[in-house]
Amino acid sequence: MIHRIVTGVMMVGVALAAHAQQTDTTPPQNVQLQHQEIARGEPARWTEGDQSTAERTRILRKEIGAALAEAKQGCKQVPASERSACLKEAQQTYQDDMAKVPQLVAQK
């Protein structure tokens, strides 16, 4: 019985330590915007279809830009020797995603 309790406590400790080591890569300005959006409730795009091609394009571009901002924030947390490669990869992913926007909008 004691063995199970000790094992359980150790597992909880490991889980808490792992959780504490995880860092949030969301930029502070995005966190503030997310809190504002959450306060307004679910975005209409979750329950309603996008009305126009322009609206779908705008939303995709906004989401791709947010992903780039988060990737750049994450790159700041890697060792300096890897940072340049990380930023280049993030920028390349951004450019690839932006190039696919017309295709993604046409699919819906």
Side-chain angles (χ1 to χ4, degrees):
M1 178 74 171
I2 297 292
H3 181 330
R4 288 185 182 163
I5 293 172
V6 170
T7 302
V9 169
M10 287 174 46
M11 290 176 66
V12 168
V14 169
L16 288 174
H19 180 70
Q21 288 181 350
Q22 293 176 342
T23 56
D24 188 8
T25 60
T26 306
Q29 66 272 18
N30 288 15
V31 171
Q32 182 180 3
L33 290 173
Q34 289 171 351
H35 287 297
Q36 291 172 353
E37 289 178 358
I38 290 169
R40 288 187 296 235
E42 293 183 349
R45 70 177 186 266
W46 289 3
T47 56
E48 301 173 6
D50 297 325
Q51 301 301 317
S52 68
T53 301
E55 182 68 14
R56 290 193 304 267
T57 300
R58 185 188 67 77
I59 290 170
L60 276 173
R61 289 180 184 273
K62 179 180 176 182
E63 290 174 351
I64 292 168
L68 174 63
E70 288 185 21
K72 285 182 174 181
Q73 190 71 23
C75 289
K76 290 179 181 179
Q77 298 175 3
V78 299
S81 61
E82 300 172 18
R83 197 167 298 143
S84 178
C86 180
L87 289 169
K88 285 180 184 177
E89 183 180 346
Q91 189 65 37
Q92 186 61 49
T93 300
Y94 171 79
Q95 290 173 352
D96 293 345
D97 289 348
M98 289 300 265
K100 294 176 189 173
V101 167
Q103 297 166 350
L104 294 170
V105 170
Q107 289 177 354
K108 290 190 177 190

